[in-house]
């Protein structure tokens, strides 16, 4: 590629696959050069699931073609290219040396680690480096910081209402549509196996994806996860088709069954679009507007539309706000002082606990588990067993196709592990087997008995739950809902409390 007359060198990261992103919007296809690279350092920053790497590399390759179609000059460095330097900084340095641009332009990275790199480039390369905000998010980080200032507790619900007002989503006049902000109470039905379960569409790999699959198997064959079958969308058009299929088939029941769990149904009524939103193939505001249109046209109920929009303009923006407010120290939060190593079965799925086995097995197959599996099965187990939250964070970042630190870390450390002491979540998401039994059909096929609290056959979640309540009573007992549990525990006879402690200790010793 000619090195003549490059004004701006625009580096586009693997999760910036949006033609209107600020770095490209600020550029001129006639004078600027776009750089994209498949990098071993990124694929190994944690040992990402093979499917995630293949998805991202193929989506990046298709995006480079999309940009070329829009008139951009794109230098795309494949993983096996002779000129591949392995890291953002080295690759950029190499391109600067060859093209001699006047300046480098980037959109700010989503992750602290990469933003630190970006911040070092101007000095390192003695060149102006323009770092532009990522306007694909609906809440600028500065605005979030102002909203958070002076508040003792940050609660998603209040942030969410502000976001509804800011975006105008589901607002009639000055009021929330339907007279309420939140219909979550209507979203807690357990699913039944005889309901019609839509499946996300499967996209047959094209030649580009097939080449990437071969490359990933050769270079990352020892990473966690199954590469085949591969059916993710890797183009904007197919990601939109996947979203359309969700809207047509699953959205009407999204609200009702948002908290459900069902053996053999990895997706239920979930959208399976976080991987597309997080790398830029889908736009968060556009998908929310579309869902509002569906409700206004009478095609989906309000609890489904509101529930979906809340996840995106509420939770998704809220966790990102917390990430940028609290990093870098947030990553090492450990309010409950948990230090246990992550059990092997998080990688192998080899455990007699049917619910955990199902979550890990489908994670290995699909690089996907839905929210309640992440929160109430693998997350809940880790919380009750006292797993080191940082190690658990690395696991979640590794295993899901949608995992990026800005969204994964607050969900793991804050929401799931209560490791930030309640900054993000109002209470620890700790639950015994009774909750899992109520919301799922896993227990019927489990070697353990969900009704037993202690003993070798008892569901491990039960003794671990009460042991957790007892161990952390000083730290969690002020929460009204957990205080009630502490009182219940205190009413158990002394010998039952001893059996709980013994059962929990015996189980943990066997991990
Ligand atoms: P749906 O259930 O269909 O929800 C629609 C969309 O809402 C999602 O695509 C997502 O963009 C958004 N959303 C829903 N819940 C959340 C949430 N709690 N935080 C942020 N956005 C949300 N989400 C990620 O995108 N990446 C992660 O790495 C990630 N790690 C998680 C780790 C843990 C421990 C937990 C408890 C949750 C995590 N989540 C993460 C949030 C949530 O589980 C996923 O967004 C969701 O399961 C993705 O599947 P879906 O697209 O089918 O979502
Ligand atoms: C997640 C990821 C992976 C696995 N590989 C690449 C890559 O090869 N090239 C690239 O530009 N980006 C990749 N990414 C995404 C980056 O890690 C991502 O931009 C940061 O996590 C966000 O700060
Ligand atoms: Fe999970 Fe316990 Fe039910 Fe087994 S009995 S599936 S371990 S909740």
């Amino acid at each position: 590629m000619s090195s003549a007359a490059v004004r701006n060198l625009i580096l586009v990261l693997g999760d910036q696959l949006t033609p209107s992103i600020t770095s490209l919007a600020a550029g001129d296809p006639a004078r600027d050069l776009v750089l994209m690279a498949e990098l071993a350092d990124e694929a190994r920053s944690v040992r990402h699931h093979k499917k995630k790497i293949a998805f991202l590399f193929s989506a990046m390759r298709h995006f480079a073609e999309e940009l070329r179609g829009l008139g951009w000059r794109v230098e795309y460095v494949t993983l096996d290219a002779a000129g591949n330097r392995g890291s953002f900084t080295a690759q950029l340095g190499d391109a600067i040396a060859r093209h001699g641009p006047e300046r480098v332009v980037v959109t700010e990275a989503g992750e602290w680690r990469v933003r630190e790199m970006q911040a070092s480039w101007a000095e390192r390369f003695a060149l102006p480096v323009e770092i532009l905000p990522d306007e694909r998010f609906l809440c600028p980080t500065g605005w979030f910081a102002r909203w958070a200032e002076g508040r003792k507790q940050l609660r998603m619900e209040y942030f969410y209402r502000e976001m509804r007002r800011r975006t105008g989503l589901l607002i009639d006049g000055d009021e929330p549509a339907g007279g309420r902000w939140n219909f979550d109470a209507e979203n807690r039905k357990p699913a039944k196996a005889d309901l019609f379960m839509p499946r996300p569409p499967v996209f047959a790999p094209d030649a580009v994806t097939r080449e990437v699959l071969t490359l990933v198997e050769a270079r990352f064959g020892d990473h966690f996860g199954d590469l085949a079958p591969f059916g993710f969308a890797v183009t904007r058009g197919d990601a939109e088709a996947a979203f359309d299929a969700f809207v047509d088939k699953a959205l009407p029941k999204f609200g009702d069954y948002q908290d459900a769990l069902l053996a053999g149904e990895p997706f239920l009524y979930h959208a399976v679009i976080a991987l597309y939103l997080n790398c830029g193939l889908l736009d968060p505001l556009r998908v929310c507007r579309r869902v509002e249109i569906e409700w206004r046209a009478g095609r989906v109920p309000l609890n489904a539309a509101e529930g979906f929009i809340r996840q995106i303009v509420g939770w998704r923006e809220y966790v990102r706000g917390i990430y940028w407010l609290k990093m870098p120290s947030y990553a090492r939060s450990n309010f409950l002082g948990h230090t246990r190593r992550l059990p092997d079965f998080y990688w192998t799925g080899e455990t007699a606990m049917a619910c955990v086995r199902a979550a890990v097995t489908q994670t290995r197959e699909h690089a996907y588990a839905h929210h309640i599996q992440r929160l109430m099965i693998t997350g809940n187990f880790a919380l009750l067993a006292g797993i080191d939250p940082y190690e658990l964070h690395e696991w979640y970042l590794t295993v899901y196709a949608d995992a990026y630190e800005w969204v994964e870390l607050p969900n793991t450390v804050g929401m799931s592990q209560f490791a930030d002491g309640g900054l993000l979540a109002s209470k620890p998401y700790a639950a015994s087997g009774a909750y899992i039994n109520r919301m799922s059909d896993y227990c019927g096929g489990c070697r353990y008995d969900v009704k037993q609290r202690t003993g070798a056959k008892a569901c491990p979640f039960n003794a671990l739950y009460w042991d957790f309540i007892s161990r952390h009573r000083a730290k969690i007992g002020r929460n009204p809902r957990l205080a009630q549990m502490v009182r219940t525990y205190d009413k158990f006879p002394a010998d039952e409390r001893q059996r709980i402690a013994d059962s929990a200790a015996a189980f943990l010793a066997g991990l």
Side-chain angles (χ1 to χ4, degrees):
M1 183 168 295
S2 154
S3 63
V6 171
R7 186 191 57 159
N8 294 333
L9 179 61
I10 304 175
L11 174 65
V12 173
L13 312 183
D15 55 354
Q16 299 184 340
L17 310 184
T18 311
S20 59
I21 196 164
T22 45
S23 56
L24 292 169
D28 174 358
R31 299 164 66 195
D32 300 341
L33 175 67
V34 175
L35 173 65
M36 297 179 68
E38 295 167 7
L39 300 164
D41 274 15
E42 291 307 304
R44 294 210 176 97
S45 62
V46 291
R47 292 160 59 83
H48 290 289
H49 193 300
K50 290 198 273 286
K51 242 179 200 136
K52 176 184 186 179
I53 301 176
F55 161 66
L56 212 56
F57 284 8
S58 181
M60 287 170 67
R61 289 183 188 199
H62 284 92
F63 182 66
E65 279 313 305
E66 187 183 348
L67 289 184
R68 287 185 183 119
L70 294 169
W72 287 97
R73 278 192 298 162
V74 182
E75 179 168 299
Y76 189 95
V77 188
T78 57
L79 189 80
D80 51 1
N84 193 306
R85 301 279 175 260
S87 73
F88 283 129
T89 301
Q91 200 65 50
L92 186 63
D94 177 81
I96 291 170
R98 283 183 297 105
H99 298 292
E102 289 171 24
R103 76 171 81 76
V104 169
V105 179
V106 284
T107 294
E108 62 192 2
E111 188 172 326
W112 179 274
R113 174 183 64 85
V114 184
R115 238 188 243 189
E116 291 277 276
M117 287 183 211
Q118 291 180 325
S120 74
W121 289 338
E123 195 181 327
R124 185 180 190 113
F125 299 122
L127 203 66
V129 175
E130 210 169 327
I131 303 176
L132 300 170
D134 192 342
E135 292 177 355
R136 297 172 302 171
F137 291 97
L138 306 172
C139 175
T141 46
W143 186 84
F144 188 89
R146 280 193 296 283
W147 174 81
E149 210 172 278
R151 285 173 197 260
K152 268 202 198 126
Q153 288 188 316
L154 305 180
R155 286 294 162 257
M156 200 293 287
E157 183 60 29
Y158 299 114
F159 169 77
Y160 167 56
R161 292 177 191 181
E162 293 289 328
M163 291 300 290
R164 288 268 296 277
R165 289 200 179 92
R166 267 172 83 92
T167 56
L169 285 161
L170 295 179
I171 296 285
D172 287 333
D174 284 336
E175 296 300 315
R180 270 159 59 195
W181 291 104
N182 185 318
F183 291 81
D184 204 21
E186 291 165 31
N187 294 354
R188 297 194 182 130
K189 286 192 193 164
K192 299 240 165 42
D194 59 352
L195 282 171
F196 166 72
M197 298 292 166
R199 287 256 166 164
V202 172
F203 299 90
D206 64 3
V208 173
T209 302
R210 287 198 300 274
E211 193 178 309
V212 165
L213 291 171
T214 307
L215 176 73
V216 170
E217 190 55 60
R219 290 287 294 274
F220 308 109
D222 57 342
H223 284 209
F224 173 79
D226 299 346
L227 197 48
F230 184 93
F232 288 142
V234 290
T235 62
R236 193 170 318 284
D238 282 352
E240 278 164 9
F243 178 63
D244 286 345
F246 160 71
V247 169
D248 288 347
K249 299 206 176 81
L251 178 61
K253 293 207 166 76
F254 175 85
D256 289 354
Y257 297 109
Q258 212 175 323
D259 284 4
L261 300 140
L262 209 53
E265 292 292 345
F267 309 107
L268 288 160
Y269 294 94
H270 292 275
V272 198
I273 57 164
L275 76 169
Y276 307 131
L277 287 168
N278 296 349
C279 76
L281 291 184
L282 289 179
D283 178 67
L285 191 55
R286 273 187 61 186
V287 300
C288 289
R289 292 223 189 285
R290 167 80 193 282
V291 165
E292 174 164 6
I293 288 168
E294 295 296 308
W295 171 67
R296 291 203 184 273
R299 286 189 289 267
V300 304
L302 184 53
N303 73 317
E306 188 280 320
F308 180 85
I309 287 171
R310 176 161 20 96
Q311 303 314 313
I312 300 207
V313 302
W315 281 111
R316 187 170 186 270
E317 295 287 333
Y318 174 71
V319 298
R320 176 175 181 263
I322 294 206
Y323 179 81
W324 285 107
L325 190 68
K326 293 294 171 187
M327 280 298 280
S329 59
Y330 197 71
R332 294 285 175 180
S333 308
N334 195 353
F335 176 70
L336 297 173
H338 286 168
T339 55
R340 189 177 301 280
R341 301 298 312 272
L342 192 72
D344 270 357
F345 58 70
Y346 274 75
W347 302 108
T348 63
E350 286 168 16
T351 165
M353 292 180 283
C355 53
V356 177
R357 190 170 64 235
V360 173
T361 306
Q362 75 162 73
T363 296
R364 191 171 58 212
E365 286 171 10
H366 301 290
Y368 179 84
H370 60 72
H371 184 66
I372 297 302
Q373 290 177 305
R374 300 186 203 196
L375 187 63
M376 300 312 295
I377 305 288
T378 46
N380 181 27
F381 180 84
L383 176 67
L384 300 182
I387 306 299
D388 177 350
Y390 191 84
E391 204 178 327
L392 186 72
H393 140 64
E394 292 197 307
W395 182 79
Y396 280 109
L397 189 58
T398 300
V399 302
Y400 292 117
D402 55 40
Y404 295 87
E405 196 180 78
W406 62 266
V407 51
E408 174 279 325
L409 185 77
N411 268 297
T412 303
V413 158
M415 188 187 300
S416 159
Q417 299 302 296
F418 207 66
D420 64 4
L423 178 79
L424 188 148
S426 56
K427 65 172 175 74
Y429 283 92
S432 68
Y435 169 88
I436 297 171
N437 193 30
R438 191 166 61 250
M439 298 309 293
S440 81
D441 63 350
Y442 290 130
C443 302
C446 186
R447 197 188 83 193
Y448 293 111
D449 181 353
V450 72
K451 303 275 185 231
Q452 290 186 38
R453 197 184 288 145
T454 58
K457 260 201 72 71
C459 166
F461 281 85
N462 292 340
L464 288 177
Y465 174 77
W466 290 111
D467 191 55
F468 172 87
I469 296 288
S470 153
R471 266 193 344 264
H472 291 304
R473 59 190 303 147
K475 285 183 172 164
I476 61 174
R478 264 176 294 152
N479 181 288
R481 276 180 278 184
L482 290 169
Q484 172 62 34
M485 291 302 157
V486 173
R487 282 195 293 277
T488 304
Y489 174 84
D490 286 343
K491 285 187 198 139
F492 290 152
D495 57 347
E496 178 66 357
R497 279 185 266 150
Q498 190 57 51
R499 279 195 293 272
I500 288 171
D502 292 345
S503 280
F507 180 80
L508 292 174
L511 279 184

